[in-house]
Amino acid sequence: MRNSKRSFSFVLATLMALVLVLSACGGKDNNAAEGNTGTSTGGSSEKTVNLIWYTIGTPQKDVDRVMEEVSKYTKEKINATITMKMVDWGDYQQKMQVNVASGEPMDIIFTSAGGFDYVQNARKGAFMVLDDLLEQYGQDLKNTIDPAFLEGSKVDGHNYGIPANKELPQQEVWRFNKQFLDKYNLDISNVRSLESIEPLLKTIKENEPTITAFAMDKNYVPYVPYDYVVQNLPMAVKLDTTDYKIVNILETQEMKDALNLMRKYYKAGYIAPEAATTGSTSDLMTSSMWFMDRAQTQPSADNLWSQSYGYPVVSTPASDAIITNTSVQGSIMAISANSEYPEKAMEFLNLLNTDPVLRNMVDSGIEGVHYNKTDETHYENLPESKNYDMPSYSLGNNMLLYLNANDPDDKWEQFKTFNAAGVDSPILSFNFDSTKVASEMAAIQNVKEQYWSSLMTGTVEPDEFLPKAIEKFKEAGLDKVIAEAQTQLDAWRAANNK
């Protein structure tokens, strides 16, 4: 409960103690008369609490309206209401750093390997250890989520968050606005590498000059076959490694070639001039003013995107399906270390991940307003859904979601097959502890803010800026950080017989 000042006289304390003793004599029947609701830990006399939930995504017009309905449901079930605060994609990392540092009231926080770094912030004390809370209030959740997620998201042997039950491997795909593929009879059957998309981009640029040919925001990074030790910092291990050597990704030939190609695409006008500073491409998706981008996939993802955007989207693989720390830790809800209601927050997370009514309301909005169910398992969006278009992956157990009209009935079985077929990264479950190099990590992050997005989106000349970036990273202490990470990786490898 919220902290409040308690100032009792000796007499009042004595009287209250006597009342409690007399109440206890009434036994269980007295508690039952007060009436527990749902899975709440208290009776009707328990104070209703409001949980503040920070999550990632473009803020939606109807979020407060939907949370009013969510709160009616959760109040009945666990005697808690929900306030959701959405922070746009490009602002999330910085906003949450400020919130944690300032002690902003928060109960539930979206975190991931790439968005408000889960492992590093767990070690910094931003999140609460959930082991005991899971045992006491999360047993239903534990029985529902794929055990690989809960095990793979442990930090130093402890759970600090609840991963979304979703696709386990990470597979990149090229996504296409199908109307332009059809209009110009473009074939994507042989599209795979970054080089292979050039003829398609050229066609669109020449024939549709007002369309963004290659959509991306400032978080875009060209795909190369490496697994990052810390997401989007230049320390990585090659996926087919035999020596487990950590390298500066900016010094690899694969990344150098990719950056040169990105620069070529930028100069050709395929990439928006403001890509390096764009926080989100959601406006492009809403307006259909884009041709292609890169995204992470899952079974029936094309149906999901098409349903969300209101026009056909198709995709083709850009990578293999690899199970990485980033994918296992790709969507997690943590409880803030400063939460005043940790037990109630865990009750909510347990309900969110096991109750289809709540999960679908959070995901799709209000039935009859934002969507209609067409049968027991399928739904269709209504026009008002444009005011509540949420990133499903970030909101809990995906396998509770209703299917859209084009989804196969066995979609969630396909997810299980997809998950089972994923190939483990060589450094899966290795979590770098940056405690000994904290100052260097901070300096490296500052260099990243200066150079990373501009290089990755092709905004600047690699021949000029890549050597500068490499030099600045070294000055910030990258070599020392890599050496420390290598020591830890070697120890982890020996301990795990890798």
Side-chain angles (χ1 to χ4, degrees), residues 321-368:
I322 307 295
I323 302 175
T324 68
N325 288 340
T326 301
S327 63
V328 174
Q329 301 167 8
S331 176
I332 295 175
M333 279 183 246
I335 297 177
S336 170
N338 294 324
S339 172
E340 295 182 69
Y341 310 123
E343 295 86 359
K344 193 62 68 177
M346 180 55 74
E347 282 188 66
F348 171 71
L349 292 177
N350 185 72
L351 189 67
L352 179 66
N353 284 280
T354 58
D355 186 317
V357 174
L358 175 59
R359 179 64 184 89
N360 281 280
M361 198 185 315
V362 168
D363 188 83
S364 300
I366 303 167
E367 186 174 0

Side-chain angles (χ1 to χ4, degrees), residues 23-34:
S23 298
C25 294
K28 293 182 179 178
D29 291 340
N30 203 37
N31 287 333
E34 291 183 355

Side-chain angles (χ1 to χ4, degrees), residues 281-298:
T281 58
S282 60
D283 288 346
L284 287 176
M285 306 305 158
T286 301
S287 64
S288 187
M289 297 293 286
W290 66 291
F291 168 60
M292 68 168 292
D293 70 354
R294 204 189 75 221
Q296 290 180 18
T297 195
Q298 57 181 238

Side-chain angles (χ1 to χ4, degrees), residues 3 85 219 242:
N3 292 331
K85 295 180 180 291
N219 297 307
T242 56

Side-chain angles (χ1 to χ4, degrees), residues 63-244:
V63 68
D64 291 341
R65 182 183 183 185
V66 173
M67 288 306 119
E68 284 183 16
E69 293 301 311
V70 166
S71 293
K72 291 176 186 177
Y73 191 79
T74 56
K75 184 176 181 180
E76 179 183 343
K77 291 289 185 178
I78 61 171
N79 204 18
T81 58
I82 308 299
T83 297
M84 177 183 282
K85 295 180 180 291
M86 298 186 73
V87 180
D88 214 346
W89 304 95
D91 302 327
Y92 194 77
Q93 177 89 4
Q94 183 177 7
K95 174 69 173 177
M96 296 312 297
Q97 287 175 345
V98 171
N99 283 352
V100 168
S102 65
E104 179 77 12
M106 298 181 290
D107 296 292
I108 298 166
I109 302 173
F110 171 84
T111 176
S112 68
F116 193 53
D117 191 288
Y118 169 65
V119 172
Q120 302 305 322
N121 281 292
R123 286 186 169 136
K124 290 176 182 176
F127 311 138
M128 193 169 290
V129 177
L130 301 186
D131 301 354
D132 293 340
L133 289 170
L134 261 172
E135 287 301 317
Q136 191 169 358
Y137 302 104
Q139 284 299 323
D140 296 337
L141 183 158
K142 288 180 66 177
N143 292 332
T144 301
I145 291 179
D146 187 327
F149 282 109
L150 284 172
E151 186 62 32
S153 62
K154 285 184 177 179
V155 179
D156 304 326
H158 300 286
N159 285 113
Y160 287 85
I162 306 303
N165 198 37
K166 59 183 188 65
E167 72 280 1
L168 188 59
Q170 177 175 316
Q171 184 174 25
E172 301 291 325
V173 292
W174 299 116
R175 292 196 311 178
F176 297 90
N177 187 340
K178 189 172 182 293
Q179 64 174 307
F180 296 114
L181 291 178
D182 294 343
K183 184 175 181 178
Y184 297 105
N185 196 29
L186 298 174
D187 180 16
I188 62 172
S189 61
N190 293 317
V191 170
R192 173 82 177 203
S193 66
L194 185 60
E195 293 87 349
S196 68
I197 65 175
E198 184 172 11
L200 286 73
L201 294 173
K202 186 174 186 293
T203 297
I204 297 302
K205 179 62 178 175
E206 290 176 349
N207 293 280
E208 301 283 349
T210 63
I211 296 297
T212 299
F214 193 175
M216 67 187 65
D217 62 26
K218 64 183 181 182
N219 297 307
Y220 175 86
V221 177
Y223 176 79
V224 292
Y226 288 76
D227 191 5
Y228 291 83
V229 174
V230 177
Q231 182 67 8
N232 289 346
L233 287 184
M235 305 180 291
V237 175
K238 200 165 187 180
L239 289 176
D240 62 357
T241 188
T242 56
D243 60 6
Y244 286 74

